[in-house]
Amino acid sequence: MKNILSDKEIITLSSIVNIFPDILIFLSKQNLLNHYQAREILIKDEYKALVNESNQSKGKLMESLAKKYKVSVSSIEIAIYNKSKNKNYKKKKHE
């Protein structure tokens, strides 16, 4: 996912988490805001709104979100469904 949230995304995030935008912007500039998790919150919220409003399939909605946020569909699925990222994957050694 992209690293840094835009000011528009921060303002949207502030309305979701009920924190003043100025505080989030300050935290962002001080590198104290986890942009990855913040973007996941934005994706989840937007996905829920689109599912309720749209008659498109969930797959199509995920594809459109992937294009909007310039990430893969699997990144969208990870954000929406809290899937594991398989970072701790280890191959089994054959004995």
Side-chain angles (χ1 to χ4, degrees), residues 1-5 9 35-36 39 68-71:
M1 291 189 183
K2 289 190 317 188
N3 291 337
I4 299 173
L5 295 174
E9 289 172 322
H35 291 272
Y36 183 83
R39 183 158 282 112
K68 177 180 179 178
Y69 288 100
K70 298 178 184 167
V71 296

Side-chain angles (χ1 to χ4, degrees), residues 43-44 47 62 65 75-83:
I43 290 169
K44 283 181 189 179
Y47 177 77
M62 284 188 244
L65 287 173
S75 294
I76 300 295
E77 289 173 344
I78 288 168
I80 293 169
Y81 300 122
N82 295 323
K83 287 187 173 182

